[in-house]
Amino acid sequence: MHRRWTVLGLLVLAGLLVAACGQSATPTVQPAAMPSGQRVVVVTSLPIFATMVEAVGGDLVSVSAVLPPGTDPHTYQPAPRDVAKLAQAALVVYNGGDLDPWMERQLEAVGSRARVVALSAGLEPPPGIEAGHEHEHEGTPEAEHEQGVNPHFWLDPDFGIVYVERIAEALAEVDPAHAETYRANAERYSQEIRTFDEWAKGQIATIPPERRKLVTFHDAFPYFAAHYGLELVGVVILSPGREPSPQEVAQLVERIRQEGVPAIFVEPQFNPKLAQTIAQEAGVRVLELYSDAAPAGLDYLGMMRQNVTNVVEGLRG
């Protein structure tokens, strides 16, 4: 009898230990994974980054952008609804640099515990591109406006792939149960970007070399121009929100004439009136390019494809 109770007691004790171990192990495992069937809530600064997240995350993510379509991120003032979005996010994705600093301020105000990714962090301009403006406005106040690195890296497809890879790694950290899916999607999408890039280079090659010159509305296209062998001749405004002086406008018109620039490219988030006036004075066409604010319905690759199509139409003649 004594032996039977001893055995029984040992069995009960073993059961209690197993239960205790199971209870203590649970909190260390569960927070690392998203609850089954629940999408990862992602908030991005720009809509174009949201389309990258969708390409990598697919049905596993629920993504929204703070910036409304067609809005200039440089001058955007966040609204109360933006705070509510950020408070619910498991992952926050923004560019960094001078493009969307308001995201950092909002994250601090919310006290967000989300995983945060600055897509351009640590990136450096390719060889041949200076950190700031690369066209001729030395000695003017606007030449000193942007002393840091130009933030529009994603307009170079090579950097676009870096953005996609960083999004995949962040999603894998937030939702490790689907890490392989995110990485596989990122590789597939990166290959789509490479395929597009080969097509784009072939299209740009149809432009006569002497006509491969860009004048854009604001200074967003140095990486795009360098990647595709285009010369960035000038911009209409160097500082968003600041109109150029009559002397600066006259200088730009003269340079367009001297360089034989075939077209000026405007952007939908800016009033095109000034660019249209300059184009009329210089006797050139006006077309659109997209950088910070693509039209609603265009994803990253759609935006890039439209940019190349418009550049070829405007410059080839």
Side-chain angles (χ1 to χ4, degrees):
M1 178 68 72
H2 177 72
R3 184 180 177 183
R4 186 174 65 185
W5 277 108
T6 301
V7 172
L8 182 59
L10 288 172
L11 289 173
V12 171
L13 179 60
L16 290 172
L17 286 172
V18 170
C21 289
Q23 290 172 354
S24 63
T26 300
T28 63
V29 174
Q30 286 302 108
M34 294 294 295
S36 178
Q38 183 173 322
R39 293 183 179 188
V40 180
V41 177
V42 185
V43 175
T44 69
S45 57
L46 274 59
I48 207 67
F49 302 152
T51 70
M52 290 180 168
V53 173
E54 287 172 342
V56 175
D59 293 337
L60 297 172
V61 301
S62 174
V63 59
S64 61
V66 170
L67 199 74
T71 306
D72 178 15
H74 300 278
T75 57
Y76 181 68
Q77 296 296 323
R81 65 177 180 274
D82 303 329
V83 176
K85 279 185 181 181
L86 291 172
Q88 300 298 319
L91 173 64
V92 173
V93 176
Y94 72 111
N95 189 73
D98 293 336
L99 186 79
D100 44 15
W102 38 267
M103 280 289 279
E104 297 176 9
R105 295 193 294 270
Q106 290 302 308
L107 286 169
E108 291 177 5
V110 172
S112 172
R113 296 184 180 180
R115 170 77 166 86
V116 179
V117 178
L119 293 172
S120 69
L123 298 182
E124 295 291 338
I129 298 182
E130 297 176 3
H133 299 292
E134 63 290 333
H135 34 74
E136 297 176 6
H137 285 271
E138 290 86 353
T140 62
E142 58 268 31
E144 301 172 2
H145 166 68
E146 186 175 306
Q147 298 298 326
V149 173
N150 191 301
H152 300 82
F153 286 99
W154 69 92
L155 295 173
D156 176 335
D158 290 340
F159 286 122
I161 290 173
V162 173
Y163 279 29
V164 168
E165 291 172 345
R166 290 182 171 184
I167 288 168
E169 287 306 308
L171 284 170
E173 290 180 22
V174 173
D175 183 17
H178 298 103
E180 290 307 312
T181 300
Y182 297 132
R183 292 181 182 123
N185 287 347
E187 178 52 39
R188 173 192 52 75
Y189 194 55
S190 296
Q191 187 54 51
E192 290 182 20
I193 295 173
R194 294 184 190 101
T195 300
F196 152 78
D197 194 29
E198 288 301 312
W199 169 84
K201 288 174 179 175
Q203 292 295 303
I204 297 295
T206 67
I207 304 171
E210 69 275 9
R211 295 172 67 91
R212 296 175 192 172
K213 298 176 180 181
L214 279 182
V215 172
T216 60
F217 196 87
H218 91 296
D219 194 17
F221 292 90
Y223 307 133
F224 178 90
H227 184 84
Y228 289 115
L230 303 169
E231 180 186 356
L232 191 55
V233 172
V235 297
V236 176
I237 60 167
L238 285 168
S239 303
R242 176 194 176 276
E243 292 288 315
S245 69
Q247 181 183 8
E248 291 165 346
V249 170
Q251 289 173 347
L252 182 56
V253 169
E254 182 61 25
R255 189 162 190 209
I256 290 170
R257 290 171 176 165
Q258 288 178 351
E259 295 281 349
V261 177
I264 289 179
F265 294 91
V266 298
E267 297 176 64
Q269 70 269 34
F270 300 112
N271 188 331
K273 207 168 183 181
L274 178 59
Q276 290 167 346
T277 300
I278 291 172
Q280 187 174 6
E281 287 289 321
V284 300
R285 300 175 65 190
V286 178
L287 293 93
E288 277 195 333
L289 284 182
Y290 310 114
S291 59
D292 310 323
L298 276 187
D299 63 4
Y300 172 66
L301 277 176
M303 180 194 78
M304 293 293 289
R305 189 172 288 108
Q306 192 63 57
N307 279 347
V308 171
T309 299
N310 290 2
V311 164
V312 171
E313 180 185 346
L315 302 188
R316 188 166 59 187

